[in-house]
Amino acid sequence: MTRHTTDVIVLGGGVMGCATAYHLAKRGRRVALLEQFAIGHALGSSHGPSRIIRLAYDSLDYVRLAQASYTLWHALEDECGEQLMLQTGGLDFGTPDALGLAGIGATYQAAGVPFEALDADEIMRRYPQFRLPENTVGFFQADYSLLAAGRCVAALAAQARQHGAAIYEHTAAQQVAIAGDGVEVRAGDAVFCADKVVLCAGSWARPLLTRLGLDLPLTVLKEQLAFFAAHDPSAFMPGRFPLFIHRYPGTTVLGSGFPIYDHRGVKLMVDRIGPEVAPDDPDRTIDSARLARLHAYATGILPGLTGEIIEAVSCRYTMTPDEDFILDVHPAYPRVLVGSPCSGHGVKFGVAVGEVLADLATKGHTKHDIARFRLARFGL
């Protein structure tokens, strides 16, 4: 059996795991990142051409963490010499009683973030691609941007390697154990030994944590999105069409849309409606009923779409009951850190979450406000 000794082991090579390895390696720590598939695989939550990054949250701690993320993504762009973020501007809209909508406006004001309040007529005057109900209200915020999700993960992994991190692909962790004054991770015929281990395993976090005496109420949802053809694709390009999030009363279900970016189609989704699945469920087929619902939504709100679905894609959301992250130290094992799951909105924060987890692993504290993300909220 091969033994590897390092300072910190990171389990999971999605955006949060790669970001954690990047920040640790940049600080001179020896890092081994273990990914059970390949970096950039499509079986989790970090793949695909695009994600939204925004300041549109109804709580100040999220806005501050998002602002830190913008800064760190720009720094990574400078370091790797590649554009990873494209500013497009974005809309949040819904009926006046839509969940969180009024709070977003209040938080913009509290945080000093510039924004515009718009009604349906003004939204459609600026963006005639939309067809919205008369009682729609919303906010426009110019900092809304696209993140090139897959390329962000690749850049984090590449820069982690550049700073000395060892990345082991196709290396699944079978066991995590406390061993003396450190930790051991068994993966196939190899044993990795370190001072600390950081679990960024996404959909696979619950099984790993259960073996460490921590059974958390995490559920894995099988979500889907689709890319739609447009009669006039130029009308849906960045600069002419914004990112948007459509909010509803009494539910965290969201509709969202993206301009055409690194694809031939307009990306749309209605999320948090997928069925619960097991982490290892291999089924990535698309449910026809949910796809029909998405089709009706897309063509209803954007009549400039032809109705042709160019591509339908499945992804995983690993959810906490409150839809907040978990960023903390294991209550019984201080050498074990938890950095999963993302609850469907983690990619934008990935580079900042990596900094948080690197802080906790090396200093035991962080400058970022992570009170919301602590394990104590589960009554442990």
Side-chain angles (χ1 to χ4, degrees):
M1 184 167 287
T2 306
R3 296 182 69 86
H4 304 272
T5 302
T6 190
D7 294 330
V8 184
I9 302 164
V10 179
L11 300 185
V15 66
M16 290 189 175
C18 286
T20 302
Y22 161 71
H23 285 291
L24 285 167
K26 196 171 182 180
R27 299 179 190 188
R29 298 308 197 272
R30 295 177 301 161
V31 184
L33 185 153
L34 279 56
E35 166 53 53
Q36 63 178 323
F37 304 116
I39 299 296
H41 69 82
L43 300 174
S45 309
S46 298
H47 59 287
S50 57
R51 294 292 192 283
I52 293 173
I53 182 168
R54 55 187 166 94
L55 301 176
Y57 279 90
D58 61 359
S59 57
L60 196 56
D61 51 357
Y62 267 119
V63 174
R64 296 306 186 207
L65 192 61
Q67 289 171 325
S69 298
Y70 275 91
T71 299
L72 289 167
W73 284 123
H74 281 308
L76 180 65
E77 287 179 317
D78 291 342
E79 188 174 326
C80 70
E82 180 182 4
Q83 184 181 30
L84 302 171
M85 186 162 52
L86 176 66
Q87 186 174 346
T88 64
L91 294 163
D92 287 84
F93 58 75
T95 55
D97 59 344
L99 186 67
L101 191 59
I104 288 170
T107 306
Y108 278 155
Q109 291 181 315
V113 173
F115 71 100
E116 297 176 80
L118 309 174
D119 60 16
D121 288 341
E122 180 59 18
I123 292 172
M124 291 187 288
R125 187 192 69 78
R126 296 186 186 190
Y127 301 108
Q129 300 94 331
F130 285 106
R131 180 167 58 199
L132 301 174
E134 287 185 5
N135 64 339
T136 299
V137 295
F139 304 112
F140 174 83
Q141 211 290 310
D143 294 301
Y144 253 90
S145 299
L146 283 165
L147 279 172
R151 290 195 287 114
C152 285
V153 174
L156 287 166
Q159 293 306 306
R161 287 189 177 104
Q162 186 70 25
H163 291 292
I167 296 180
Y168 297 85
E169 299 179 90
H170 306 289
T171 304
Q174 281 97 36
Q175 182 181 12
V176 180
I178 306 302
D181 58 354
V183 294
E184 285 188 355
V185 176
R186 293 184 180 272
D189 60 356
V191 176
F192 294 82
C193 307
D195 295 326
K196 303 277 181 69
V197 61
V198 186
L199 273 62
C200 296
S203 298
W204 293 268
R206 186 173 188 177
L208 284 171
L209 288 168
T210 299
R211 294 173 207 149
L212 289 167
L214 200 59
D215 188 15
L216 299 178
L218 309 180
T219 56
V220 181
L221 302 182
K222 179 186 174 184
E223 298 290 342
Q224 66 186 45
L225 57 95
F227 294 86
F228 290 82
H231 290 290
D232 177 12
S234 68
F236 291 91
M237 300 299 290
R240 294 189 62 186
F241 186 67
L243 290 158
F244 74 86
I245 295 179
H246 191 173
R247 300 174 182 273
Y248 301 92
T251 178
T252 60
V253 171
L254 301 172
S256 60
F258 296 63
I260 295 172
Y261 178 80
D262 199 21
H263 202 282
R264 293 191 297 114
V266 181
K267 177 181 170 181
L268 287 111
M269 64 188 306
V270 176
D271 64 2
R272 294 168 174 80
I273 62 171
E276 184 177 346
V277 295
D280 287 318
D281 187 339
D283 183 13
R284 294 300 192 276
T285 57
I286 304 300
D287 178 79
S288 59
R290 284 188 292 125
L291 190 60
R293 174 177 174 177
L294 176 58
H295 185 278
Y297 172 74
T299 54
I301 198 170
L302 297 172
L305 302 180
T306 68
E308 176 194 355
I309 295 176
I310 298 172
E311 182 184 12
V313 179
S314 172
C315 66
R316 300 298 168 94
Y317 282 16
T318 307
M319 310 293 290
T320 57
D322 54 16
E323 300 191 8
D324 293 325
F325 311 147
I326 299 173
L327 306 175
D328 208 349
V329 178
H330 192 295
Y333 305 118
R335 296 185 180 277
V336 178
L337 283 73
V338 185
S340 288
C342 303
S343 292
H345 63 127
V347 169
K348 66 181 71 63
F349 296 105
V351 69
V353 165
E355 183 174 71
V356 167
L357 294 170
D359 287 343
L360 295 179
T362 58
K363 299 185 294 185
H365 59 86
T366 180
K367 66 182 179 182
H368 300 286
D369 180 2
I370 60 170
R372 173 193 295 269
F373 309 124
R374 294 290 192 175
L375 283 162
R377 71 188 196 267
F378 297 109
L380 300 171

